Coordinates of all heavy atoms in Angstrom, one line a residue:
G1 N 0.8 -1.1 0.0 CA 0.0 0.0 0.0 C 0.8 1.2 0.0 O 2.1 1.2 -0.2
S2 N 0.2 2.4 0.2 CA 0.9 3.7 0.2 C 1.9 3.8 1.3 O 2.9 4.4 1.2 CB -0.1 4.8 0.2 OG -0.8 4.8 1.4
Y3 N 1.6 3.2 2.5 CA 2.5 3.2 3.6 C 3.8 2.5 3.2 O 4.9 3.1 3.5 CB 1.9 2.6 4.8 CG 2.9 2.4 6.0 CD1 3.2 3.5 6.7 CD2 3.5 1.2 6.2 CE1 4.2 3.4 7.8 CE2 4.4 1.1 7.3 CZ 4.8 2.2 8.0 OH 5.6 2.1 9.0
D4 N 3.8 1.3 2.6 CA 4.9 0.6 2.2 C 5.7 1.4 1.2 O 7.0 1.5 1.3 CB 4.6 -0.8 1.6 CG 4.0 -1.7 2.6 OD1 4.3 -1.5 3.9 OD2 3.3 -2.6 2.3
N5 N 5.1 2.0 0.2 CA 5.8 2.8 -0.8 C 6.5 4.0 -0.1 O 7.6 4.3 -0.5 CB 4.9 3.3 -1.9 CG 4.4 2.1 -2.8 OD1 5.1 1.1 -2.8 ND2 3.3 2.3 -3.4
S6 N 5.8 4.6 0.7 CA 6.4 5.8 1.5 C 7.6 5.4 2.3 O 8.6 6.1 2.3 CB 5.3 6.4 2.4 OG 5.9 7.5 3.1
R7 N 7.4 4.3 3.0 CA 8.5 3.8 3.9 C 9.7 3.4 2.9 O 10.9 3.8 3.3 CB 8.1 2.6 4.7 CG 9.1 2.2 5.7 CD 8.5 1.2 6.6 NE 9.6 0.8 7.6 CZ 9.5 -0.1 8.4 NH1 8.4 -0.9 8.5 NH2 10.5 -0.4 9.2
Y8 N 9.5 2.7 1.9 CA 10.5 2.3 1.0 C 11.2 3.6 0.4 O 12.5 3.6 0.3 CB 10.0 1.4 -0.1 CG 11.0 1.1 -1.2 CD1 12.0 0.2 -0.9 CD2 11.1 1.8 -2.4 CE1 13.0 -0.1 -1.9 CE2 12.1 1.6 -3.3 CZ 13.0 0.6 -3.1 OH 14.0 0.4 -4.0
S9 N 10.5 4.6 0.1 CA 11.1 5.8 -0.5 C 12.0 6.5 0.5 O 13.1 6.9 0.2 CB 9.9 6.8 -0.9 OG 10.4 7.9 -1.4
K10 N 11.6 6.5 1.8 CA 12.5 7.1 2.9 C 13.7 6.3 3.0 O 14.8 6.9 3.2 CB 11.7 7.2 4.2 CG 10.6 8.2 4.1 CD 9.8 8.3 5.4 CE 8.6 9.2 5.3 NZ 7.8 9.2 6.4
V11 N 13.6 5.0 3.1 CA 14.8 4.1 3.2 C 15.8 4.3 2.0 O 16.9 4.5 2.2 CB 14.4 2.6 3.3 CG1 15.6 1.7 3.2 CG2 13.7 2.4 4.7
A12 N 15.2 4.3 0.8 CA 16.0 4.4 -0.4 C 16.7 5.8 -0.4 O 17.9 6.0 -0.8 CB 15.2 4.3 -1.6
S13 N 16.0 6.9 0.0 CA 16.5 8.2 0.1 C 17.7 8.3 1.1 O 18.7 8.9 0.8 CB 15.4 9.2 0.5 OG 16.0 10.5 0.6
N14 N 17.5 7.6 2.2 CA 18.6 7.6 3.2 C 19.8 6.8 2.7 O 20.9 7.3 2.9 CB 18.0 7.0 4.6 CG 19.1 7.1 5.7 OD1 19.7 8.2 5.9 ND2 19.2 6.1 6.4
L15 N 19.6 5.7 2.1 CA 20.7 5.0 1.6 C 21.5 5.7 0.5 O 22.7 5.7 0.4 CB 20.2 3.6 1.1 CG 19.8 2.6 2.1 CD1 19.2 1.4 1.4 CD2 20.9 2.2 3.0
T16 N 20.8 6.5 -0.3 CA 21.3 7.3 -1.4 C 22.2 8.4 -0.7 O 23.3 8.6 -1.1 CB 20.3 8.0 -2.2 OG1 19.5 6.9 -2.9 CG2 20.9 8.8 -3.3
R17 N 21.7 9.0 0.3 CA 22.5 10.1 1.0 C 23.7 9.5 1.6 O 24.8 10.1 1.5 CB 21.5 10.7 2.0 CG 22.1 12.0 2.7 CD 21.2 12.7 3.6 NE 20.3 11.9 4.4 CZ 19.1 11.6 4.2 NH1 18.4 12.0 3.1 NH2 18.4 10.9 5.1
I18 N 23.6 8.4 2.2 CA 24.8 7.7 2.8 C 25.9 7.4 1.7 O 27.0 7.6 1.9 CB 24.4 6.4 3.6 CG1 23.6 6.8 4.9 CG2 25.6 5.6 3.9 CD1 22.9 5.6 5.5
T19 N 25.4 6.9 0.6 CA 26.3 6.6 -0.5 C 27.1 7.8 -1.0 O 28.3 7.7 -1.2 CB 25.5 5.9 -1.6 OG1 24.9 4.7 -1.1 CG2 26.4 5.5 -2.8
Y20 N 26.4 8.9 -1.1 CA 27.0 10.1 -1.6 C 28.1 10.6 -0.6 O 29.1 11.2 -1.0 CB 26.0 11.2 -1.8 CG 25.1 11.0 -3.1 CD1 23.8 11.3 -3.1 CD2 25.7 10.5 -4.2 CE1 23.0 11.1 -4.2 CE2 24.9 10.3 -5.4 CZ 23.6 10.6 -5.3 OH 22.8 10.4 -6.4
N21 N 27.8 10.4 0.7 CA 28.7 11.0 1.7 C 29.9 10.0 2.1 O 30.8 10.4 2.7 CB 27.9 11.2 3.0 CG 27.1 12.4 2.9 OD1 27.4 13.3 2.2 ND2 26.0 12.5 3.6
Y22 N 29.7 8.7 1.6 CA 30.7 7.7 2.1 C 32.2 8.1 1.7 O 33.0 8.0 2.6 CB 30.4 6.4 1.4 CG 31.4 5.3 1.6 CD1 31.5 4.7 2.9 CD2 32.3 5.0 0.6 CE1 32.5 3.7 3.1 CE2 33.3 4.0 0.9 CZ 33.3 3.4 2.1 OH 34.3 2.5 2.3
K23 N 32.5 8.5 0.5 CA 33.9 8.8 0.1 C 34.4 9.9 1.0 O 35.6 9.8 1.4 CB 33.9 9.1 -1.3 CG 33.8 7.9 -2.2 CD 34.0 8.2 -3.7 CE 33.8 6.9 -4.5 NZ 34.0 7.2 -6.0
A24 N 33.7 11.0 1.1 CA 34.2 12.1 1.9 C 34.4 11.7 3.4 O 35.4 12.1 4.0 CB 33.2 13.3 1.8
Q25 N 33.4 11.0 3.9 CA 33.5 10.6 5.3 C 34.7 9.6 5.5 O 35.4 9.7 6.5 CB 32.2 10.0 5.8 CG 31.2 11.1 5.9 CD 29.8 10.5 6.3 OE1 29.6 9.3 6.1 NE2 28.9 11.4 6.8
N26 N 34.9 8.7 4.6 CA 35.9 7.8 4.7 C 37.3 8.4 4.7 O 38.2 8.2 5.4 CB 35.8 6.7 3.6 CG 36.8 5.6 3.8 OD1 37.0 5.1 4.9 ND2 37.4 5.2 2.7
Y27 N 37.4 9.4 3.7 CA 38.7 10.2 3.6 C 39.0 11.0 4.9 O 40.1 11.0 5.4 CB 38.6 11.1 2.4 CG 39.9 11.9 2.2 CD1 41.0 11.2 1.8 CD2 39.9 13.3 2.3 CE1 42.2 11.9 1.5 CE2 41.1 13.9 2.1 CZ 42.2 13.3 1.7 OH 43.4 14.0 1.5
E28 N 37.9 11.6 5.4 CA 38.1 12.4 6.7 C 38.5 11.5 7.8 O 39.4 11.8 8.6 CB 36.8 13.1 7.0 CG 36.8 13.9 8.3 CD 36.3 13.1 9.5 OE1 35.5 12.2 9.3 OE2 36.8 13.4 10.6
A29 N 37.9 10.3 7.9 CA 38.3 9.4 9.0 C 39.7 8.9 8.8 O 40.4 8.8 9.8 CB 37.3 8.2 8.9
A30 N 40.2 8.7 7.7 CA 41.6 8.3 7.5 C 42.5 9.5 7.9 O 43.6 9.2 8.6 CB 41.9 8.0 6.0
I31 N 42.2 10.7 7.6 CA 43.1 11.8 8.0 C 43.1 11.9 9.5 O 44.1 12.1 10.2 CB 42.5 13.1 7.3 CG1 42.8 13.1 5.9 CG2 43.2 14.3 8.0 CD1 42.2 14.2 5.1
T32 N 41.9 11.8 10.2 CA 41.8 11.9 11.6 C 42.5 10.8 12.3 O 43.2 11.1 13.3 CB 40.3 11.9 12.0 OG1 39.6 13.0 11.3 CG2 40.1 12.1 13.5
K33 N 42.4 9.6 11.8 CA 43.1 8.5 12.4 C 44.7 8.7 12.3 O 45.4 8.4 13.2 CB 42.8 7.2 11.7 CG 41.4 6.7 11.9 CD 41.1 6.3 13.4 CE 39.7 5.8 13.4 NZ 39.0 6.0 14.7
R34 N 45.1 9.2 11.2 CA 46.5 9.5 11.0 C 47.0 10.5 12.0 O 48.1 10.4 12.6 CB 46.8 9.9 9.5 CG 48.2 10.2 9.2 CD 49.1 9.0 9.3 NE 50.5 9.4 9.2 CZ 51.4 8.7 8.7 NH1 51.1 7.4 8.3 NH2 52.6 9.2 8.6
A35 N 46.3 11.6 12.1 CA 46.6 12.7 13.0 C 46.7 12.1 14.5 O 47.5 12.5 15.2 CB 45.7 13.8 12.9
M36 N 45.7 11.3 14.8 CA 45.7 10.7 16.1 C 46.9 9.9 16.4 O 47.5 10.0 17.5 CB 44.4 9.8 16.2 CG 44.1 9.4 17.6 SD 42.5 8.5 17.5 CE 42.3 7.9 19.1
Y37 N 47.3 9.1 15.4 CA 48.6 8.3 15.5 C 49.8 9.1 15.6 O 50.7 8.9 16.5 CB 48.7 7.3 14.3 CG 50.0 6.7 14.2 CD1 50.2 5.5 15.0 CD2 51.0 7.1 13.4 CE1 51.4 4.9 14.9 CE2 52.2 6.4 13.3 CZ 52.4 5.3 14.1 OH 53.6 4.6 14.1
E38 N 49.9 10.2 14.8 CA 51.0 11.0 14.9 C 51.1 11.8 16.2 O 52.2 12.0 16.8 CB 51.0 12.1 13.7 CG 51.3 11.4 12.4 CD 51.2 12.4 11.2 OE1 51.1 13.6 11.4 OE2 51.3 11.8 10.1
M39 N 50.0 12.2 16.8 CA 50.0 12.8 18.1 C 50.5 11.8 19.1 O 51.2 12.2 20.0 CB 48.6 13.4 18.4 CG 48.5 14.0 19.8 SD 49.6 15.4 20.0 CE 48.6 16.7 19.1
E40 N 50.0 10.6 19.1 CA 50.5 9.6 20.1 C 52.0 9.4 20.0 O 52.7 9.3 21.0 CB 49.8 8.3 19.8 CG 48.4 8.1 20.5 CD 48.5 8.1 22.1 OE1 49.5 7.5 22.6 OE2 47.7 8.7 22.7
M41 N 52.5 9.3 18.7 CA 53.9 9.2 18.6 C 54.7 10.3 19.1 O 55.7 10.2 19.7 CB 54.3 8.9 17.1 CG 53.7 7.6 16.5 SD 54.3 6.1 17.4 CE 53.0 5.7 18.5
W42 N 54.2 11.6 18.8 CA 54.8 12.8 19.3 C 54.9 12.8 20.9 O 55.9 13.1 21.4 CB 54.1 14.0 18.8 CG 54.7 15.3 19.1 CD1 55.6 16.0 18.4 CD2 54.5 16.1 20.3 NE1 56.0 17.2 19.0 CE2 55.3 17.3 20.2 CE3 53.7 16.0 21.4 CZ2 55.4 18.2 21.1 CZ3 53.8 17.0 22.4 CH2 54.6 18.1 22.2
L43 N 53.8 12.4 21.5 CA 53.7 12.3 23.0 C 54.7 11.3 23.5 O 55.4 11.6 24.5 CB 52.3 12.1 23.4 CG 51.3 13.1 23.1 CD1 49.8 12.6 23.3 CD2 51.5 14.4 24.0
E44 N 54.7 10.1 22.9 CA 55.6 9.1 23.4 C 57.0 9.4 23.3 O 57.9 9.1 24.1 CB 55.2 7.7 22.7 CG 53.9 7.1 23.2 CD 53.7 5.8 22.5 OE1 54.6 5.1 21.9 OE2 52.5 5.3 22.6
K45 N 57.4 10.0 22.1 CA 58.7 10.3 21.8 C 59.3 11.3 22.9 O 60.5 11.3 23.2 CB 58.8 11.0 20.4 CG 60.2 11.4 20.0 CD 60.2 11.9 18.6 CE 61.5 12.4 18.1 NZ 61.5 13.0 16.8
R46 N 58.4 12.2 23.4 CA 58.8 13.1 24.4 C 58.6 12.6 25.8 O 58.8 13.4 26.8 CB 58.1 14.4 24.2 CG 58.7 15.2 23.0 CD 57.6 16.1 22.4 NE 58.2 16.8 21.2 CZ 58.4 16.2 20.0 NH1 58.0 15.0 19.8 NH2 58.9 16.9 19.0
G47 N 58.2 11.4 26.0 CA 58.1 10.8 27.3 C 56.9 11.4 28.1 O 56.9 11.4 29.3
M48 N 55.9 12.0 27.4 CA 54.8 12.6 28.1 C 53.8 11.6 28.5 O 53.6 10.5 27.9 CB 54.2 13.7 27.1 CG 55.2 14.8 26.8 SD 54.5 16.0 25.6 CE 53.5 17.0 26.7
K49 N 53.0 11.9 29.5 CA 52.0 11.1 30.1 C 50.6 11.3 29.4 O 49.8 10.5 29.5 CB 51.8 11.2 31.6 CG 53.1 10.9 32.3 CD 52.8 11.1 33.8 CE 54.0 10.9 34.6 NZ 53.8 11.2 36.1
T50 N 50.5 12.4 28.8 CA 49.2 12.8 28.1 C 48.9 11.8 27.0 O 49.9 11.3 26.3 CB 49.4 14.2 27.5 OG1 49.5 15.2 28.5 CG2 48.1 14.6 26.6
R51 N 47.7 11.5 26.8 CA 47.3 10.4 25.9 C 46.0 10.8 25.1 O 45.1 11.4 25.7 CB 47.0 9.0 26.5 CG 48.3 8.4 27.0 CD 49.2 8.0 25.8 NE 50.4 7.5 26.2 CZ 51.6 8.1 26.1 NH1 51.6 9.3 25.6 NH2 52.7 7.6 26.5
V52 N 45.9 10.4 23.9 CA 44.7 10.6 23.1 C 43.8 9.4 23.6 O 44.2 8.3 23.6 CB 44.9 10.4 21.6 CG1 43.6 10.6 20.8 CG2 45.9 11.5 21.1
W53 N 42.6 9.7 24.0 CA 41.7 8.6 24.5 C 40.5 8.4 23.6 O 39.8 7.4 23.8 CB 41.4 8.8 25.9 CG 40.5 9.9 26.3 CD1 40.8 11.2 26.5 CD2 39.0 9.9 26.3 NE1 39.8 12.0 26.7 CE2 38.6 11.2 26.6 CE3 38.1 8.9 26.2 CZ2 37.3 11.5 26.8 CZ3 36.8 9.2 26.4 CH2 36.4 10.5 26.7
N54 N 40.2 9.4 22.8 CA 38.9 9.2 22.0 C 39.0 10.1 20.8 O 39.6 11.1 20.8 CB 37.8 9.6 22.9 CG 36.4 9.3 22.2 OD1 36.3 8.3 21.4 ND2 35.4 10.0 22.6
E55 N 38.3 9.7 19.7 CA 38.0 10.6 18.6 C 36.7 10.4 18.1 O 36.2 9.2 18.0 CB 39.1 10.5 17.5 CG 39.2 9.2 16.8 CD 38.2 9.2 15.5 OE1 37.8 10.2 15.1 OE2 38.0 8.1 15.1
I56 N 36.0 11.4 17.7 CA 34.6 11.4 17.1 C 34.6 12.3 16.0 O 34.9 13.5 16.1 CB 33.5 11.7 18.2 CG1 33.6 10.8 19.3 CG2 32.2 11.7 17.5 CD1 32.6 11.1 20.5
H57 N 34.4 11.8 14.8 CA 34.3 12.5 13.6 C 35.6 13.4 13.4 O 36.6 12.8 13.1 CB 33.1 13.4 13.5 CG 31.8 12.6 13.6 ND1 31.4 11.8 12.6 CD2 30.9 12.5 14.6 CE1 30.3 11.2 12.9 NE2 30.0 11.6 14.1
D58 N 35.5 14.7 13.7 CA 36.7 15.5 13.4 C 37.3 16.1 14.6 O 37.9 17.1 14.6 CB 36.4 16.6 12.4 CG 35.2 17.5 12.9 OD1 34.6 17.2 13.9 OD2 35.1 18.6 12.3
S59 N 37.1 15.4 15.8 CA 37.7 15.9 17.0 C 38.4 14.8 17.8 O 38.1 13.7 17.6 CB 36.6 16.5 17.9 OG 35.7 15.5 18.4
Q60 N 39.3 15.2 18.6 CA 40.1 14.3 19.4 C 40.0 14.7 20.8 O 40.0 15.9 21.2 CB 41.6 14.2 18.9 CG 41.7 13.7 17.5 CD 43.2 13.7 17.1 OE1 44.1 14.0 17.9 NE2 43.4 13.3 15.9
D61 N 39.9 13.7 21.7 CA 39.9 14.0 23.1 C 41.2 13.5 23.8 O 41.7 12.5 23.4 CB 38.7 13.3 23.8 CG 37.4 13.9 23.3 OD1 37.3 15.1 23.1 OD2 36.5 13.0 23.1
Y62 N 41.7 14.2 24.8 CA 42.9 13.9 25.4 C 42.8 13.9 26.9 O 42.0 14.6 27.5 CB 44.0 14.9 25.1 CG 44.3 15.1 23.7 CD1 43.6 15.8 22.8 CD2 45.4 14.3 23.2 CE1 44.0 16.0 21.5 CE2 45.7 14.4 21.8 CZ 45.0 15.3 21.0 OH 45.3 15.4 19.6
Y63 N 43.6 12.9 27.6 CA 43.8 13.1 29.0 C 45.1 13.9 29.1 O 46.2 13.4 28.7 CB 44.0 11.7 29.6 CG 42.7 11.0 29.9 CD1 42.5 9.8 29.3 CD2 41.7 11.5 30.7 CE1 41.3 9.0 29.6 CE2 40.6 10.8 31.0 CZ 40.4 9.6 30.4 OH 39.2 8.9 30.6
V64 N 45.1 15.1 29.5 CA 46.2 15.9 29.6 C 46.7 16.1 31.1 O 45.9 16.6 31.9 CB 46.0 17.3 29.0 CG1 47.3 18.2 29.0 CG2 45.6 17.1 27.6
Y65 N 47.9 15.7 31.4 CA 48.4 15.9 32.7 C 48.7 17.4 33.0 O 49.2 18.1 32.0 CB 49.7 15.1 32.9 CG 49.4 13.6 33.1 CD1 49.0 12.8 32.1 CD2 49.4 13.0 34.4 CE1 48.7 11.5 32.3 CE2 49.0 11.7 34.6 CZ 48.7 10.9 33.5 OH 48.4 9.6 33.7
K66 N 48.4 17.9 34.1 CA 48.5 19.3 34.4 C 49.9 19.8 34.1 O 50.0 20.9 33.5 CB 48.1 19.5 35.9 CG 47.9 21.0 36.2 CD 47.4 21.1 37.6 CE 47.0 22.5 38.0 NZ 46.4 22.7 39.3
E67 N 50.9 19.1 34.5 CA 52.3 19.6 34.3 C 52.7 19.6 32.8 O 53.7 20.3 32.4 CB 53.3 18.8 35.1 CG 53.3 17.3 34.9 CD 52.3 16.6 35.8 OE1 51.6 17.2 36.6 OE2 52.3 15.4 35.7
E68 N 51.9 19.0 31.9 CA 52.2 19.0 30.6 C 51.3 19.9 29.7 O 51.4 20.0 28.5 CB 52.0 17.5 30.0 CG 53.0 16.5 30.6 CD 52.8 15.1 30.1 OE1 51.8 14.8 29.5 OE2 53.6 14.2 30.5
L69 N 50.4 20.5 30.4 CA 49.4 21.3 29.6 C 50.0 22.4 28.8 O 49.6 22.5 27.6 CB 48.4 22.0 30.7 CG 47.3 22.7 30.1 CD1 46.4 21.8 29.2 CD2 46.4 23.3 31.2
H70 N 51.0 23.1 29.2 CA 51.6 24.1 28.5 C 52.2 23.6 27.1 O 52.0 24.1 26.1 CB 52.7 24.9 29.2 CG 53.4 26.0 28.5 ND1 52.8 27.2 28.2 CD2 54.6 26.0 27.9 CE1 53.6 27.9 27.4 NE2 54.7 27.2 27.3
D71 N 53.0 22.5 27.3 CA 53.6 21.9 26.1 C 52.6 21.4 25.1 O 52.7 21.6 23.9 CB 54.5 20.8 26.5 CG 55.8 21.3 27.2 OD1 56.1 22.5 27.0 OD2 56.3 20.5 27.9
H72 N 51.6 20.8 25.6 CA 50.5 20.2 24.8 C 49.8 21.3 24.0 O 49.5 21.3 22.8 CB 49.6 19.4 25.6 CG 48.6 18.6 24.8 ND1 48.9 17.5 24.1 CD2 47.2 18.8 24.6 CE1 47.8 17.0 23.5 NE2 46.8 17.7 23.8
F73 N 49.4 22.4 24.8 CA 48.8 23.5 24.2 C 49.6 24.2 23.1 O 49.1 24.5 22.0 CB 48.4 24.6 25.3 CG 47.7 25.7 24.8 CD1 46.3 25.6 24.4 CD2 48.3 27.0 24.6 CE1 45.6 26.7 23.9 CE2 47.6 28.1 24.1 CZ 46.3 28.0 23.8
Q74 N 50.9 24.3 23.4 CA 51.8 24.9 22.3 C 51.8 24.1 21.0 O 51.8 24.6 19.9 CB 53.2 25.1 22.9 CG 53.4 26.1 23.9 CD 53.0 27.5 23.5 OE1 53.2 27.8 22.3 NE2 52.4 28.2 24.4
L75 N 51.7 22.8 21.2 CA 51.7 21.9 19.9 C 50.4 22.1 19.2 O 50.4 22.2 18.0 CB 51.8 20.4 20.3 CG 51.6 19.5 19.2 CD1 52.8 19.5 18.2 CD2 51.5 18.1 19.7
I76 N 49.3 22.2 19.9 CA 48.0 22.4 19.2 C 48.0 23.7 18.4 O 47.6 23.8 17.3 CB 46.9 22.3 20.2 CG1 46.7 20.9 20.7 CG2 45.5 22.8 19.6 CD1 45.8 20.7 21.9
V77 N 48.4 24.8 19.1 CA 48.5 26.1 18.5 C 49.4 26.1 17.3 O 49.0 26.6 16.2 CB 49.0 27.2 19.5 CG1 49.2 28.5 18.8 CG2 47.9 27.4 20.6
K78 N 50.6 25.5 17.4 CA 51.5 25.4 16.3 C 50.9 24.7 15.1 O 51.1 25.0 14.0 CB 52.8 24.7 16.7 CG 53.9 24.6 15.7 CD 55.1 24.0 16.3 CE 56.2 23.9 15.2 NZ 57.4 23.2 15.7
S79 N 50.1 23.6 15.4 CA 49.5 22.8 14.3 C 48.4 23.5 13.6 O 48.0 23.2 12.4 CB 49.0 21.5 14.8 OG 47.9 21.7 15.6
L80 N 47.8 24.6 14.2 CA 46.7 25.3 13.6 C 47.3 26.5 12.7 O 46.5 27.0 11.9 CB 45.8 25.9 14.7 CG 45.1 24.9 15.5 CD1 44.3 25.6 16.6 CD2 44.1 24.1 14.6
I81 N 48.5 26.8 12.9 CA 49.1 27.9 12.1 C 49.6 27.5 10.8 O 50.1 26.5 10.5 CB 50.2 28.6 12.9 CG1 49.6 29.3 14.2 CG2 50.9 29.7 12.1 CD1 50.6 29.9 15.1

């Protein structure tokens, strides 16, 4: 009936939208994962206790030790310039 057609149309529309966004989202995820890895390597190389603990879409979350806050902040500012 009309309910089935309407529901199918919404599902198909959603799947189409997901398909169009897949390549961009996949590329963004690869960049974010690489940045997360590089940040972990930078922290370990310097013997810092701060760690990346989570990432969602285009953001990363850190556990930052108070005594390392200044160095960590400087790295973030430098990476934005």
Side-chain angles (χ1 to χ4, degrees):
S2 64
Y3 172 76
D4 291 336
N5 290 338
S6 173
R7 186 171 181 191
Y8 173 75
S9 176
K10 289 177 185 176
V11 169
S13 176
N14 187 43
L15 291 174
T16 301
R17 190 170 44 257
I18 290 169
T19 302
Y20 288 140
N21 288 331
Y22 172 76
K23 287 183 180 180
Q25 289 174 341
N26 190 42
Y27 183 66
E28 177 270 329
I31 291 170
T32 303
K33 296 289 187 210
R34 177 64 187 212
M36 190 173 175
Y37 171 79
E38 288 179 8
M39 179 60 81
E40 274 293 323
M41 295 299 99
W42 187 90
L43 293 166
E44 284 183 17
K45 183 178 178 180
R46 285 155 181 78
M48 297 176 81
K49 296 178 184 177
T50 296
R51 290 291 174 253
V52 180
W53 68 274
N54 189 28
E55 68 87 16
I56 299 175
H57 302 290
D58 61 349
S59 70
Q60 295 179 3
D61 298 320
Y62 298 86
Y63 282 120
V64 180
Y65 284 77
K66 192 173 187 175
E67 57 273 0
E68 298 175 353
L69 185 58
H70 178 74
D71 292 336
H72 189 74
F73 181 73
Q74 291 299 326
L75 173 68
I76 292 169
V77 169
K78 185 178 177 181
S79 71
L80 295 175
I81 296 174

